[in-house]
Amino acid sequence: MPAYNSMFNNDPNVPRLVGNFPLLPLRTKTRGPAYVLPQPSPAVAAHESPDPDSESYDVLDEVLSLFRANTFFRNFEIQGPADRLLVYGILFVSECLAKIRPHHSLRDATKEVLNTALDLNFAIPGDPAFPLNQIYEPPRDRQDAEQLRQYLSQVRQELAARLLARVYDEEGDGKPSKWWLSFTKRKFMGKAL
């Protein structure tokens, strides 16, 4: 059985590519270079995603919905540019989950995860420290590299906020969901950011 690929590979509107990394639109309030999608109406809870057919559904909703299923796969066939963002998102969610401990309160976990998301010293495709350089092309020039870094920073911040909303349920007891934390030791494709 193959891994689940992104539905945004079939999008007729071709996104801007930096290297071969897509700059897809996001539903976010975080500043950055991404085109901002409208908020869903009626509004959905922070720990839920809009309907996949909605115009507010973005690739980050897809990352969170496919994370647990795709984490079990050691191989992943790239079928389009959106799959590269899906792979990066899954690896970042794994990194964030590794920072959350079972005894962490929401405040402690928010501090840890947002520090990870806000850290600007992360590797981008083309850097020697980037773990998946074999499937990503480096940016053409310094300006493209800076735009990609800003976009990935925006993706990381938004993913961190949405992940925390799912791991710490609003009606819960203030402890992280064991169903999410059970994936902390799993490595998608055997890699980590």
Side-chain angles (χ1 to χ4, degrees):
M1 184 174 147
Y4 297 99
N5 292 87
S6 177
M7 67 183 245
F8 292 97
N9 286 330
N10 304 327
D11 193 2
N13 301 327
V14 179
R16 181 173 187 278
L17 297 175
V18 174
N20 59 0
F21 199 95
L23 303 184
L24 293 170
L26 304 174
R27 188 184 74 250
T28 182
K29 293 180 181 158
T30 307
R31 286 184 17 189
Y35 173 77
V36 179
L37 293 173
Q39 295 296 322
S41 63
V44 294
H47 63 279
E48 295 177 1
S49 293
D51 183 51
D53 296 330
S54 166
E55 66 177 1
S56 298
Y57 189 77
D58 67 359
V59 71
L60 302 184
D61 292 319
E62 189 174 53
V63 165
L64 291 171
S65 65
L66 295 178
F67 169 76
R68 292 187 277 188
N70 278 351
T71 302
F72 291 108
F73 293 100
R74 296 196 54 75
N75 298 320
F76 187 84
E77 182 183 344
I78 303 288
Q79 295 180 351
D83 283 340
R84 289 182 176 83
L85 184 54
L86 182 70
V87 167
Y88 184 86
I90 289 173
L91 292 174
F92 180 70
V93 169
S94 295
E95 182 180 352
C96 288
L97 285 175
K99 303 277 184 190
I100 301 173
R101 301 285 173 245
H103 62 277
H104 272 173
S105 66
L106 175 58
R107 184 174 182 205
D108 295 338
T110 301
K111 181 180 172 187
E112 289 287 330
V113 171
L114 287 182
N115 281 342
T116 302
L118 292 171
D119 183 19
L120 294 177
N121 295 325
F122 60 88
I124 63 171
D127 290 349
F130 192 72
L132 293 169
N133 273 330
Q134 64 270 22
I135 63 171
Y136 292 93
E137 292 176 9
R140 281 179 305 170
D141 54 24
R142 198 175 219 144
Q143 184 179 359
D144 275 358
E146 186 56 36
Q147 185 175 26
L148 181 59
R149 185 173 298 281
Q150 289 173 355
Y151 180 77
L152 288 178
S153 178
Q154 188 179 13
V155 164
R156 290 163 67 101
Q157 291 173 45
E158 187 62 30
L159 255 179
R162 291 188 199 179
L163 178 67
L164 287 168
R166 289 181 186 220
V167 172
Y168 287 87
D169 195 14
E170 292 174 4
E171 297 91 33
D173 54 1
K175 294 189 175 173
S177 165
K178 66 181 180 182
W179 304 113
W180 276 94
L181 292 188
S182 64
F183 289 88
T184 56
K185 291 184 175 65
R186 290 213 162 266
K187 290 192 179 201
F188 176 59
M189 296 172 52
K191 304 280 184 187
L193 288 182

